Amino acid sequence: MSSFYAAETPERVQKAQGLHLITSLTPNGRKVHILLEELKEAYGLEWTTSLIDLDKNEQKKDWFLRLNPNGRIPILIDNNTSPPHVVMESSAELLYLVNLADKNDIFWFSDPIEQSEAFQWLIFWHASGQPNQGQYNFFRNKADQSSLAIDRFKSEVLRVYDVLEIRLSGRYGGGTREYLAGRGKGKYSITDVNAWAWIRNIRRIGFSEDELAQFPYLQQWVDHIAARPAVERGLGEWYDEDMHPELLLETSEL
């Protein structure tokens, strides 16, 4: 175990047992928090958590890059394997967790057709949704509201949201849906968690009333998922470094 981690890896990480999550309160962090909380409620899953202060760039240090060369959170370390298995990329972490712990497919699917549906919507959001919304969020907060960049990414986010609205509304047939994947009205799954952690702030990211009015079914979906107790816990104070500074990872500068 000691040879797996770098010498400067924080002791809290080196000595962790079982599943260990390194995270922060970002949309990608929140999606993994939510699934872990759901799996705890459903199966009693246990894990430990460490937090990263992204402003201090701890995630860009060598000890972290050894675990995730992309230098992003969250990462999930499974210390039950030898050597420990590190999972980077939040969508991959959701898949790893359901394969590991969701024995009854409460949050995933056993049917191949439903699995195919779920993979499509999981990949759609990871490839088309969160990159565009991430850029929109950045330029919306950093650039002039009339800039070409913010207009470009806002239009892409609206386009992606309309794709989800088409799916949930049944605009082109198939009937209305409660969730993105699964037969009939669908079933709550990691496909929803994956997108919801980003879309939950739909009413607070600079859309006009007319723009929001285009997405009634998507807004209903947001509110429906927000009411789940495990979702509320996944957004909660346990993952806030200000509330739990004892979970914060900080190493000395070299």
Side-chain angles (χ1 to χ4, degrees):
M1 188 80 69
S2 59
S3 62
F4 177 80
Y5 294 106
E8 66 271 21
T9 301
E11 186 177 11
R12 179 176 177 80
V13 177
Q14 292 200 46
K15 292 189 173 181
Q17 302 292 312
L19 291 174
H20 188 69
L21 177 71
I22 303 178
T23 189
S24 186
L25 277 175
T26 68
N28 286 336
R30 287 183 173 101
K31 66 172 78 166
V32 181
H33 310 166
I34 289 167
L35 181 59
L36 285 165
E37 295 288 351
E38 294 280 14
L39 291 168
K40 181 177 182 178
E41 185 173 299
Y43 299 101
L45 182 71
E46 296 292 339
W47 71 97
T48 54
T49 302
S50 290
L51 304 178
I52 289 276
D53 183 344
L54 300 178
D55 292 333
K56 294 183 178 179
N57 280 330
E58 191 70 36
Q59 74 281 7
K60 304 300 183 184
K61 293 182 179 179
D62 286 346
W63 75 264
F64 190 95
L65 295 175
R66 179 171 175 157
L67 299 172
N68 178 5
N70 197 29
R72 297 287 190 273
I73 60 89
I75 57 172
L76 185 70
I77 306 172
D78 187 349
N79 293 291
N80 293 311
T81 69
S82 183
H85 179 62
V86 182
V87 189
M88 67 179 198
E89 294 298 317
S90 55
S91 299
E93 289 162 33
L94 299 182
L95 287 165
Y96 186 80
L97 285 169
V98 290
N99 286 325
L100 178 74
D102 189 13
K103 304 174 185 65
N104 299 325
D105 287 316
I106 298 174
F107 309 108
W108 190 236
F109 303 92
S110 58
D111 179 81
I113 297 299
E114 290 182 303
Q115 278 191 14
S116 175
E117 264 189 5
F119 276 123
Q120 290 172 61
W121 289 103
L122 196 76
I123 293 168
F124 169 75
W125 180 258
H126 196 98
S128 298
Q130 69 188 42
N132 283 302
Q133 186 163 333
Q135 294 290 349
Y136 171 60
N137 289 344
F138 175 83
F139 286 107
R140 181 172 65 92
N141 292 318
K142 301 292 185 182
D144 185 271
Q145 290 291 319
S146 63
S147 71
L148 177 63
I150 195 168
D151 290 344
R152 159 67 175 165
F153 288 113
K154 181 178 182 181
S155 68
E156 278 300 294
V157 173
L158 290 170
R159 181 191 67 79
V160 167
Y161 279 19
D162 191 55
V163 174
L164 298 172
E165 182 73 13
I166 289 170
R167 176 64 167 170
L168 294 168
S169 68
R171 185 185 304 169
Y172 298 120
T176 61
R177 304 180 58 87
E178 293 184 7
Y179 302 108
L180 293 173
R183 300 186 191 280
K185 289 188 174 293
K187 183 181 79 171
Y188 174 69
S189 72
I190 64 170
T191 306
D192 301 288
V193 173
N194 192 50
W196 184 89
W198 284 84
I199 304 172
R200 67 188 187 92
N201 287 325
I202 184 173
R203 300 180 183 95
R204 298 191 294 277
I205 59 172
F207 295 156
S208 68
E209 289 300 316
D210 287 343
E211 288 166 337
L212 284 172
Q214 301 173 45
F215 310 118
Y217 287 89
L218 186 61
Q219 291 185 72
Q220 290 174 21
W221 171 85
V222 166
D223 294 342
H224 188 46
I225 293 173
R228 295 180 65 90
V231 171
E232 293 182 7
R233 292 194 299 274
L235 304 178
E237 68 174 40
W238 185 249
Y239 305 96
D240 186 335
E241 69 225 34
D242 293 330
M243 299 296 293
H244 288 280
E246 76 278 8
L247 301 181
L248 197 59
L249 300 177
E250 293 184 281
T251 57
S252 300
E253 295 292 342
L254 297 179

